[in-house]
Amino acid sequence: MLLGISLILLGFGIFDIFYENKNKSKILIILMIVIWILLSTRGFLGTDWYFYYPSFMSNTYIYEKGYMLYSFFIGSIYKNYTFFQSITLGIDFICLYFIFKKYCKYYILAFVIFFSIQGLFMEVELLRNMKAIILFIFSLKYIEERKFIPYIILNLIGVSFHQSAILYIPLYYLLNINYNKKLIISLFLLGSLIYLSNFDFILNSLDSFGNYLNGSIGEKINNYLKVIPKNIPRGLNLFYLERVILFIIAYYYEKNKVLKNIGYLSVFIFLYTSELSIVSLRIGILFLFITWFLYARAFEYINKKVILSFLIGTICIFRIYINFSYPGNKINYKYENSLIYKLNYKKREKELIESKKNMKSYYGKELLLQY
């Protein structure tokens, strides 16, 4: 079902590019409402509901204080998980509506790209991260206006939802700089060499370092290395080619300095940290949104829209297909509407455990796909 919806949305993305229509805002609102209804009334979809559902229902305070206060407030209105999903998704979609309209001329397309490239999964799984990411996007205007106080306030609120958002704070000083183009090209070429060579330089260094050190630090390094997948697919692949396209758009076409620099940062994180899949995922997901922006904004600057549509459309279809094709996701993303089917925690818990039998195929592939 979700795969079919994704493909239908691509048709609306094409419509946005090639047909002028005064009712595009209404179309976007209708699309968002339809997706909001489908996703807010979802059953136990994905994997992270396993933690969020009991936390919400029993007021277990195991997450950041901002998220827990937010969760407690919604629960005090109505202690129902479908209601909670409706509110949290509704807030995200309202924010994204204004964000896409602000940054993208083709804002229906931006929403389609968002849904195709991890937006669906982020809204289902990353309830805390999404709030921090949206707050950061809202704070970008204050980088351009050089207003530190509102910037820091928004991102500190983001940190109260997810601690990883602390990485946004120093970017106030880094994203408004016109970097030397030779430096950017050099970093891209070096990163490409590292990624394409498929040599685990960081992992090998950490392994040697962990064996050399005695005590708790060495033990922590060795324990971390044990959980890092050893079969992460690197080299000349579609994931790399996608980053090449993103880099070219940022380097040659993007005119907004802050967005351009975030594009560089996103590509460099992928190229330089991909062998540390867990670290790479945690950091890379913070900047995934730039893909939605730059791909949609590229149509404002590049005249060859048919060729660009083919490239971006292929990326979206590839992302949609690959995410739904893995055995674990076929189990975890079996859509059941909570208005039709009664939420059955124990049943879905058993299915989630069953999906973990596919962990070998899950790690090293889907981790990369999540950003």
Side-chain angles (χ1 to χ4, degrees), residues 26 45 100 103 106 128 170 182 201 222 237 247 292-293:
K26 293 180 181 178
L45 195 68
F100 288 146
Y103 284 102
Y106 300 105
R128 291 143 56 224
K182 291 182 180 179
F201 175 78
N222 288 325
N237 54 36
F247 179 80
W292 315 328
F293 287 9

Side-chain angles (χ1 to χ4, degrees), residues 182-340:
K182 291 182 180 179
L183 172 64
I184 296 299
I185 285 290
S186 299
L187 288 173
F188 176 73
L189 293 176
L190 177 60
S192 294
L193 180 63
I194 292 171
Y195 185 84
L196 293 173
S197 67
N198 201 19
F199 178 70
D200 294 331
F201 175 78
I202 300 176
L203 285 177
N204 292 334
S205 300
L206 284 175
D207 188 35
S208 301
F209 192 57
N211 291 329
Y212 175 76
L213 289 175
N214 294 320
S216 62
I217 297 178
E219 184 180 351
K220 286 180 180 179
I221 292 174
N222 288 325
N223 288 338
Y224 177 73
L225 291 176
K226 289 178 183 177
V227 301
I228 293 181
K230 301 298 188 292
N231 62 336
I232 297 173
R234 288 181 292 146
L236 186 60
N237 54 36
L238 288 174
F239 304 118
Y240 171 74
L241 294 176
E242 181 182 334
R243 267 63 185 198
V244 171
I245 294 171
L246 186 65
F247 179 80
I248 289 172
I249 291 172
Y251 188 84
Y252 288 104
Y253 298 103
E254 181 53 53
K255 294 178 172 58
N256 183 293
K257 181 167 47 179
V258 172
L259 297 183
K260 179 189 287 282
N261 287 334
I262 296 174
Y264 295 152
L265 182 59
S266 177
V267 172
F268 294 158
I269 289 169
F270 176 83
L271 294 177
Y272 284 95
T273 70
S274 57
E275 63 182 277
L276 300 173
S277 60
I278 299 173
V279 174
S280 189
L281 169 64
R282 300 288 182 182
I283 300 174
I285 201 75
L286 294 172
F287 304 99
L288 177 64
F289 71 87
I290 198 61
T291 304
W292 315 328
F293 287 9
L294 294 193
Y295 284 168
R297 288 167 63 89
F299 287 89
E300 301 175 33
Y301 309 131
I302 300 174
N303 292 326
K304 296 181 179 179
K305 288 183 171 53
V306 174
I307 296 174
L308 188 60
S309 299
F310 175 79
L311 285 174
I312 304 302
T314 300
I315 290 171
C316 289
I317 292 172
F318 167 70
R319 287 286 196 145
I320 294 166
Y321 169 77
I322 210 73
N323 271 311
F324 286 111
S325 67
Y326 290 114
N329 274 358
K330 289 180 180 179
I331 298 172
N332 294 329
Y333 279 84
K334 180 178 66 174
Y335 182 85
E336 292 181 345
N337 193 286
S338 63
L339 301 180
I340 301 173

Side-chain angles (χ1 to χ4, degrees), residues 164-182:
S164 63
I166 195 73
L167 295 175
Y168 287 141
I169 292 176
L171 296 183
Y172 179 84
Y173 301 101
L174 300 175
L175 293 179
N176 206 32
I177 298 173
N178 285 312
Y179 291 99
N180 184 284
K181 289 195 171 184
K182 291 182 180 179

